[in-house]
Amino acid sequence: MTHRILIVDDEIDMLRLLKRSLEPDLGCRVETASSGEEAFAMIQEQRFDLVLSDMKMPGMGGAELLRQIKELKRGIAVIMMTAYGSIDSAVEAIRAGAYDFIAKPFDHDTLVFRLRKALERNRLISENIRLHKAFREKESFHNIVGSSPAMLKVFETIRMVARTDMTVLVTGESGTGKELTCRAIHAQSERRNGPFITVNCPTVPEQILESELFGYKKGAFTQASSDRQGLFQAADGGTLFLDEIGEISPAIQSKLLRVIQEKEVKPLGGTKSVPVDVRIIAATNKDLVKAIEEGEFRQDLYYRLNVLPLRLPPLRERREDIPALVSHFIHKHADTMGRDPLPVSDKLMALLMELPLTGNIRELESLVMKGLLFATGEMMEPEDLREVLASAPAATTGDSPAPDLTALPYKEAKEQCLKGFNDSYVGALLEKTAGNVARAARLCGMERQALQQVMKRYGIDPEPYRHK
């Protein structure tokens, strides 16, 4: 679509000169108005991307025209020009919402450069809004963003499996959105009005996990001072989501298999089984077939879980969704970080599109948050993430292979990843606030005490940042 610029000036010769020179240089359509009143009437009836207006004019001056344009809330960029090029005039215009300010007499190349910059900013903002609107239209999938063929196939599968009551196994790399997918299946199923209970299997010790899942009777063990209902019973009539199912022990696997087969649970220390009406959705980033071959996972349980398989594609297989995801994360985090929803420059978007993003959506979200944090201009640029990318693990920059976290136990690998993120993210906050923890907490939307707990856990000392 050809850009449309409206030039407003009471000097007719200036209008003719600018129209004649700017149309070929910018490849756009230029309209002119010799007064603020005429200009505002045209803006109400026609679409314009940019207004270049003189500040001092008889009748409605540039400041009043700017105010009325802003009240229309159409996202039109306004650049002010004046022969009275004082600092006060520039500050007044910028505070009132002008995108830029240029003093007469001006250099033609400088004017063209500033107009191009303003038009590019408007284009990026419009694209940002369009992508965010497109995402909102997909909200029926409960915050799952994507329109690529790979994700359309996922949405189709979600619709299909949601109509049944069978067990679902969702597989995919870490950070591909397995929990969101499981929630979407529940939300579109006949059980949508029932409970949706999540169990993060690896984070619960085996002995506790068994009692959490199946419940216990009074006296079953030393601390069992009363009967307690398990999560299977709590999820009755709804869905139980077993996250990272591949990490549970053989003993729990055996009991879980019995529950799926018999549709009843026996609490620890109990003699009678209790019937339960629960749909199980499980998720894993582990290769369960390989785990079966290595004797780590029961084959019969795998077949019970894998009745309806659903594989989530990694981000490298759906790169065309990255712009929409970036827009979603900008709108998701901008307000809590005290920022406007900044547009992303074409250069930065191209960079994000090429990154390996081995952490998938979770890694992309982290990069967007850092971009919002570091950005100093009116849009996010590659320079805003240069330091982050330079200090990122090789897997992110693509310079060398990533460390093999699978060689570590789950908890150690998870802790290593969390420490790296917190060192980078909290360190950047403290860098920006010169070690002021209270300000850093406000920037990231946390309570000061909560941020202090994170810093204590990961050994982050604010003192060095106070002396830089």
Side-chain angles (χ1 to χ4, degrees):
M1 186 184 295
T2 303
H3 289 303
R4 289 171 55 88
I5 297 177
L6 176 62
I7 304 176
V8 190
D9 199 312
D10 58 329
E11 296 182 22
I12 303 300
D13 289 342
M14 174 65 74
L15 291 176
R16 290 172 179 166
L17 173 65
L18 290 174
K19 178 179 173 64
R20 189 167 60 247
S21 60
L22 291 178
E23 277 191 334
D25 284 355
L26 292 172
C28 63
R29 181 173 175 181
V30 174
E31 301 288 347
T32 61
S34 58
S35 69
E37 292 84 357
E38 181 187 359
F40 189 65
M42 294 173 67
I43 290 167
Q44 289 177 299
E45 295 176 359
Q46 303 175 47
R47 176 191 68 82
F48 290 101
D49 303 291
L50 175 65
V51 172
L52 176 63
S53 174
D54 193 19
M55 181 72 82
K56 301 289 183 180
M57 295 182 291
M60 182 189 292
E64 177 62 18
L65 175 61
L66 171 63
R67 187 188 67 78
Q68 294 198 23
I69 290 173
K70 290 300 173 183
E71 286 183 356
L72 291 177
K73 296 182 178 179
R74 293 185 185 174
I76 303 171
V78 179
I79 294 180
M80 288 297 183
M81 54 183 178
T82 179
Y84 307 84
S86 68
I87 296 297
D88 290 342
S89 296
V91 171
E92 179 188 345
I94 298 299
R95 281 181 177 172
Y99 169 73
D100 203 353
F101 179 93
I102 189 165
K104 296 179 181 177
F106 44 75
D107 176 73
H108 179 73
D109 290 340
T110 300
L111 176 64
V112 169
F113 173 78
R114 291 192 181 181
L115 292 177
R116 278 190 178 137
K117 188 176 176 184
L119 289 170
E120 175 64 7
R121 173 182 177 271
N122 258 28
R123 185 190 68 77
L124 289 169
I125 291 174
S126 298
E127 179 69 5
N128 197 317
I129 292 170
R130 185 191 68 77
L131 289 171
H132 190 61
K133 183 180 178 183
F135 154 70
R136 298 298 296 178
E137 290 172 353
K138 294 181 176 68
E139 200 170 29
S140 60
F141 284 99
H142 301 267
N143 294 336
I144 303 176
V145 182
S147 57
S148 62
M151 287 310 294
L152 292 178
K153 185 177 179 180
V154 168
F155 297 155
E156 182 182 346
T157 306
I158 289 173
R159 293 190 192 97
M160 180 188 70
V161 301
R163 291 195 297 265
T164 76
D165 208 31
M166 296 178 183
T167 305
V168 181
L169 179 63
V170 179
T171 59
E173 297 176 9
S174 179
T176 49
K178 294 187 288 295
E179 182 171 350
L180 277 179
T181 300
C182 296
R183 288 185 179 276
I185 293 171
H186 170 76
Q188 296 190 46
S189 72
E190 293 297 321
R191 295 177 177 268
R192 66 177 69 90
N193 295 322
F196 180 89
I197 294 180
T198 299
V199 185
N200 193 341
C201 298
T203 63
V204 185
E206 180 183 345
Q207 298 81 359
I208 299 176
L209 179 61
E210 184 175 359
S211 62
E212 284 290 307
L213 287 174
F214 310 119
Y216 53 79
K217 305 298 286 185
K218 180 180 179 180
F221 47 88
T222 305
Q223 291 81 19
S225 57
S226 62
D227 292 354
R228 180 171 178 178
Q229 188 183 66
L231 294 178
F232 268 99
Q233 289 175 270
D236 194 66
T239 302
L240 185 65
F241 169 43
L242 300 174
D243 197 11
E244 297 306 339
I245 190 73
E247 304 300 329
I248 62 174
S249 69
I252 302 292
Q253 290 178 35
S254 178
K255 294 188 177 184
L256 180 58
L257 176 63
R258 183 179 180 278
V259 175
I260 296 174
Q261 290 174 333
E262 306 297 332
K263 297 189 183 300
E264 58 184 26
V265 296
K266 182 184 287 187
L268 293 179
T271 57
K272 293 182 179 180
S273 295
V274 181
V276 288
D277 174 26
V278 175
R279 181 186 196 171
I280 294 176
I281 301 178
T284 184
N285 61 9
K286 193 171 184 177
D287 185 345
L288 293 186
V289 174
K290 183 179 179 182
I292 291 170
E293 293 172 354
E294 295 175 352
E296 297 177 357
F297 202 83
R298 293 182 61 124
Q299 187 175 47
D300 47 4
L301 177 59
Y302 172 73
Y303 288 129
R304 285 287 184 178
L305 293 172
N306 199 39
V307 177
L308 291 174
L310 198 169
R311 174 188 175 270
L312 295 183
L315 207 46
R316 62 181 172 275
E317 294 179 11
R318 45 176 293 219
R319 290 188 181 276
E320 57 266 54
D321 289 329
I322 288 176
L325 285 163
V326 169
S327 174
H328 166 54
F329 293 136
I330 287 171
H331 285 82
K332 177 181 176 182
H333 295 293
D335 188 53
T336 57
M337 297 179 73
R339 301 297 305 262
D340 290 329
L342 298 177
V344 175
S345 73
D346 286 345
K347 287 183 179 179
L348 178 55
M349 186 63 74
L351 175 64
L352 294 174
M353 293 282 284
E354 292 299 322
L355 285 176
L357 294 171
T358 53
N360 293 296
I361 298 168
R362 194 174 293 124
E363 181 183 356
L364 180 64
E365 182 172 14
S366 175
L367 287 172
V368 170
M369 291 174 68
K370 290 169 184 173
L372 282 168
L373 182 66
F374 294 141
T376 56
E378 295 190 342
M379 65 178 71
M380 278 190 265
E381 299 283 0
E383 291 73 20
D384 299 322
L385 285 173
R386 188 179 304 282
E387 194 170 316
V388 175
L389 295 174
S391 61
T396 303
T397 58
D399 294 333
S400 60
D404 184 13
L405 292 177
T406 60
L408 299 174
Y410 175 85
K411 288 185 179 178
E412 288 184 30
K414 179 181 177 182
E415 193 66 17
Q416 184 171 314
C417 291
L418 286 173
K419 178 167 175 51
F421 168 76
N422 281 284
D423 284 347
S424 174
Y425 180 68
V426 178
L429 286 170
L430 294 171
E431 181 81 38
K432 191 165 188 176
T433 61
N436 187 315
V437 179
R439 282 180 57 208
R442 286 195 297 272
L443 272 178
C444 66
M446 293 176 70
E447 295 292 333
R448 179 180 177 179
Q449 293 84 349
L451 182 58
Q452 285 175 325
Q453 288 177 0
V454 171
M455 292 167 63
K456 183 178 179 181
R457 177 179 175 183
Y458 294 104
I460 302 171
D461 183 5
E463 197 61 29
Y465 297 93
R466 294 170 181 156
H467 302 288
K468 285 191 175 183

